[in-house]
């Protein structure tokens, strides 16, 4: 077996990639890459009741988009495959049977009715009472051979305690009396998540297991399995939960729970990964902006906090804006284009729109609402032309539009340079500040007080014929 650090991400295909799951994948990736190790992708699909069609594709696409590329996995192979649990089913029963021989597990023949009656007697919550623990193995095997239905349960110690050391939470001890004889192999022959997880981690030589702190109390059960087989357990790294606020966990209902939600909202993948890395991990120093490669270099398990991480939407927004501003004009244009087209189908010069939006955009999904004036004119009253800041009113706006319309109509070409030069020259001729002229022109064409870009850009976005038409309509409102 390899001496390398080997981590794994082992999602169940049950839907979208939750932020917490993505952070688990990220930390596992960073731990392996920081040490020059291997990162494994394993699909845990034995729970067919929770299986969601298309969820495996979501896992692949999310990992690829975020750059969390695996060294071994279902599509790449490797010496420890197969990497899909449903293709490994024969292994689990074999190891469970071996565990029965080692005395760490036993066959249980209690039917559903008995278990339900036991629960009812105990008020709905009951730990299995161990009735079948004492059945001799030879007798149990005879009953199995006779076709009697069974499950295989882990034989937990009833006295003392089980301890382990976690890289984040330190030394953890659990009283063995609190542990239930959990099911390892279900009546349908399929393994439970807990059992398959341990078998696969061992057989794939996983050295470090990253998972949520909700699994802290389950870890003694895992370690008892390792002990019963005589295997060395992996190093555990349990991460604190990601919270919406101090009281509530991040949930699908609030719209920021999955990677797909964040992509739909117009965040950049690199910004999301950077931000998720900081949810529960503190780098050394004040720096907060890291590429994935830089995160791999800087990541240290000692920086993971025990405290719950609060998902701060404003911080993610800030970080996303930083990433957007770093894009070249061409990159931003291509990135923003689907959102620009969502806002306008008519605009010809999308590069102009992108240039106006580039340095002021924080989230791409906010773009469409800013462009709604391009395809259709807004109805407004003459009051919109009153600009207290520049002390211009309806009369001055009327004069500006009266003089601007013929100048713009006379332009041989409708370019940004020609429009700008014409309006600047007109303002000089009228001996007024540029803003006094530009304000009513922009408002008349857009029908809005706030636009992405000034009068020159707005005229370019809307186009010659439509702009001139709107300018005349605006002037008409001032009579």
């Amino acid at each position: 077996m390899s001496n390398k650090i080997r981590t794994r991400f082992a999602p169940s295909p049950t839907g979208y990639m939750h932020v917490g799951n993505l952070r688990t994948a990220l930390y596992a990736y960073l731990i392996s890459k920081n040490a020059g190790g291997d990162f494994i992708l394993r699909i845990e699909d034995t729970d067919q009741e929770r299986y969601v069609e298309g969820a495996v594709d979501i896992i692949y696409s999310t990992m690829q988009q975020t750059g969390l590329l695996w060294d071994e996995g279902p599509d790449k192979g490797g010496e420890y495959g197969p990497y899909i649990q449903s293709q490994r089913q024969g292994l689990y029963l074999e190891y469970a049977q071996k565990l029965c021989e080692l005395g760490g597990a036993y066959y249980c023949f209690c039917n559903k009715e008995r278990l339900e009656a036991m629960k009812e007697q105990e008020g709905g919550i009951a730990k299995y009472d161990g009735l079948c623990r004492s059945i001799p193995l030879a007798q149990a095997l005879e009953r199995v051979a006779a076709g009697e239905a069974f499950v295989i349960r882990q034989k937990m110690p009833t006295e003392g305690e089980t301890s382990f050391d976690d890289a984040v939470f330190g030394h953890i001890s659990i009283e063995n009396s609190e542990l239930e004889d959990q099911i390892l192999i279900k009546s349908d022959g399929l393994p439970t998540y807990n059992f398959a997880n341990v078998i696969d981690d061992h057989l794939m030589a996983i050295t470090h297991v990253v998972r949520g702190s909700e699994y802290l109390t389950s870890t003694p059960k895992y370690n008892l399995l390792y002990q019963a087989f005589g295997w060395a357990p992996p190093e555990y790294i349990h991460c604190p939960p990601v919270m919406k606020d101090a009281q509530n966990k991040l949930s699908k209902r609030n719209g920021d729970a999955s990677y797909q939600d964040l992509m739909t909202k117009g965040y950049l993948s690199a910004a999301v990964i950077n931000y998720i890395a900081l949810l529960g991990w503190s780098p050394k120093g004040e720096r907060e902006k890291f590429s994935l490669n830089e995160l791999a270099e800087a990541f240290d398990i000692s920086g993971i906090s025990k405290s719950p991480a609060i998902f701060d939407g404003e911080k993610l927004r800030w970080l996303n804006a930083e990433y957007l501003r770093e894009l070249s004009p061409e990159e931003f244009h291509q990135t923003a284009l689907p959102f620009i087209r969502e806002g306008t189908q008519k605009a010809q010069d999308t590069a102009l729109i992108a240039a106006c939006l580039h340095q002021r955009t924080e989230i791409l999904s906010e773009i469409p609402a800013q462009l709604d004036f391009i395809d259709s004119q807004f109805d407004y009253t003459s009051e919109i032309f009153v600009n207290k800041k520049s002390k211009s009113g309806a009369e001055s706006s009327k004069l500006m539009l009266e003089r601007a319309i013929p100048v713009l109509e006379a332009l041989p070409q409708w370019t940004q340079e020609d429009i700008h030069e014409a309006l600047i020259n007109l303002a000089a001729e009228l001996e007024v500040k540029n803003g006094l002229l530009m304000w009513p022109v922009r408002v008349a064409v857009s029908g809005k007080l706030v636009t992405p870009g000034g009068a020159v850009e707005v005229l370019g976005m809307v186009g010659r014929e439509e702009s001139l038409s709107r300018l005349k309509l605006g002037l008409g409102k001032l009579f």
Side-chain angles (χ1 to χ4, degrees):
M1 288 206 174
S2 172
N3 292 320
K4 272 186 175 182
I5 283 183
R6 290 173 57 84
T7 64
R8 48 75 170 169
F9 178 51
S12 299
T14 56
Y16 291 129
M17 182 78 80
H18 189 277
V19 162
N21 290 343
L22 185 55
R23 186 188 63 174
T24 298
L26 174 60
Y27 285 6
Y29 174 88
L30 296 176
I31 288 167
S32 68
K33 296 307 160 191
N34 180 269
D38 292 326
F39 176 59
I40 292 87
L41 176 63
R42 184 174 77 223
I43 304 297
E44 301 198 337
D45 62 344
T46 52
D47 190 346
Q48 290 298 307
E49 289 182 9
R50 296 180 64 221
Y51 180 85
V52 174
E53 195 68 37
V56 172
D57 292 333
I58 289 173
I59 292 167
Y60 288 151
S61 65
T62 301
M63 301 285 281
Q64 287 163 349
Q65 287 173 40
T66 55
L68 304 183
L69 305 180
W70 49 99
D71 300 294
E72 300 169 25
D75 60 334
K76 289 190 174 181
E79 61 180 297
Y80 300 96
Y83 296 88
I84 298 176
Q85 275 190 345
S86 59
Q87 297 175 9
R88 300 168 63 85
Q89 284 181 20
L91 283 170
Y92 307 120
L93 180 57
E94 177 187 328
Y95 275 92
Q97 291 168 336
K98 182 178 179 181
L99 194 62
C100 290
E101 294 170 8
L102 292 169
Y106 60 93
Y107 293 87
C108 174
F109 302 96
C110 293
N111 59 31
K112 188 177 179 181
E113 289 71 27
R114 180 179 185 274
L115 296 174
E116 288 297 329
M118 189 172 69
K119 277 187 181 179
E120 194 173 321
Q121 190 175 351
E122 297 293 330
I125 300 172
K127 192 168 76 168
Y128 178 64
D129 60 4
L131 178 70
C132 296
R133 282 173 70 109
S134 58
I135 299 174
L137 180 59
Q139 184 182 331
L141 290 173
E142 287 175 7
R143 293 173 67 172
V144 169
E148 192 171 344
F150 69 92
V151 299
I152 296 180
R153 290 181 181 271
Q154 184 176 0
K155 186 180 284 186
M156 298 295 187
T158 55
E159 297 177 347
E161 61 182 26
T162 298
S163 302
F164 71 97
D165 291 307
D166 180 73
V168 177
F169 288 85
H171 191 71
I172 305 287
S173 293
I174 300 288
E175 293 293 327
N176 290 331
S177 58
E178 296 178 16
L179 302 176
E180 182 177 10
D181 287 1
Q182 65 176 345
I183 294 174
L184 305 180
I185 300 292
K186 297 178 284 188
S187 56
D188 59 6
L190 290 174
T192 57
Y193 167 82
N194 289 332
F195 185 58
N197 206 265
V198 167
I199 300 302
D200 288 341
D201 282 347
H202 171 72
L203 293 180
M204 292 182 182
I206 301 302
T207 61
H208 292 67
V209 169
V210 182
R211 58 183 172 222
S213 58
E214 66 270 22
Y215 289 101
L216 270 172
T217 55
S218 300
T219 303
K221 300 175 187 178
Y222 300 144
N223 273 10
L224 287 167
L225 285 171
Y226 280 102
Q227 288 174 23
F229 280 115
W231 300 337
E235 183 171 344
Y236 296 108
I237 301 102
H238 287 89
C239 304
V242 180
M243 308 287 285
K244 178 184 177 183
D245 51 45
Q247 286 78 38
N248 303 295
K249 277 190 175 183
L250 203 64
S251 69
K252 289 182 180 178
R253 291 194 194 97
N254 83 42
D256 287 325
S258 79
Y259 173 79
Q260 286 73 20
D261 292 331
L262 295 171
M263 291 300 99
T264 301
K265 287 190 173 186
Y267 289 95
L268 295 183
S269 186
V272 170
I273 280 293
N274 189 160
Y275 179 67
I276 287 176
L278 302 175
L279 282 175
W281 173 73
S282 297
K284 292 170 182 174
E286 299 299 314
R287 184 180 175 189
E288 293 187 301
K289 190 169 179 294
F290 295 86
S291 69
L292 186 58
N293 286 338
E294 289 168 342
L295 282 170
E297 287 180 17
F299 197 79
D300 190 325
I301 294 171
S302 65
I304 301 175
S305 171
K306 295 179 186 178
S307 304
I310 306 296
F311 189 94
D312 183 348
E314 286 305 309
K315 185 167 182 179
L316 174 56
R317 171 187 282 268
W318 166 80
L319 197 54
N320 196 66
E322 292 291 306
Y323 274 86
L324 284 172
R325 286 170 193 140
E326 270 192 359
L327 297 176
S328 70
E330 294 76 18
E331 288 170 334
F332 180 80
H333 182 202
Q334 289 305 311
T335 303
L337 190 56
F339 297 88
I340 291 173
R341 279 301 174 213
E342 189 181 328
T344 172
Q345 292 296 317
K346 290 183 179 178
Q348 298 297 312
D349 193 348
T350 54
L352 167 62
I353 296 172
C356 292
L357 292 166
H358 192 175
Q359 295 304 314
R360 65 181 71 193
T361 300
E362 294 185 330
I363 306 174
L364 294 168
S365 59
E366 294 175 346
I367 289 175
Q370 299 179 63
L371 306 178
D372 52 4
F373 68 91
I374 298 176
D375 289 6
S376 57
Q377 186 179 14
F378 280 72
D379 193 21
Y380 56 87
T381 66
S382 60
E383 292 176 2
I384 199 172
F385 288 104
V386 178
N387 184 357
K388 294 177 182 177
K389 189 175 180 182
S390 65
K391 298 179 181 177
S392 64
E395 280 304 313
S396 76
S397 293
K398 178 185 171 188
L399 173 62
M400 295 301 112
L401 292 182
E402 284 177 331
R403 297 297 300 270
I405 291 170
V407 167
L408 291 169
E409 279 183 318
L411 285 176
Q413 291 184 311
W414 198 258
T415 66
Q416 288 288 281
E417 294 77 12
D418 290 340
I419 295 169
H420 180 264
E421 185 178 358
L423 292 177
I424 292 296
N425 289 342
L426 177 58
E429 181 185 327
L430 296 173
E431 296 182 345
V432 298
K433 290 183 177 179
N434 294 339
L436 194 68
L437 172 63
M438 301 288 191
W439 165 268
V441 170
R442 184 176 64 81
V443 169
V445 175
S446 68
K448 299 179 77 171
L449 292 173
V450 179
T451 55
V456 176
E457 291 82 9
V458 166
L459 287 164
M461 292 177 198
V462 173
R464 181 188 190 112
E465 299 306 320
E466 183 65 18
S467 291
L468 292 172
S469 172
R470 293 185 188 186
L471 285 166
K472 291 170 185 176
L473 284 170
L475 179 59
K477 292 178 185 289
L478 292 167
F479 280 93

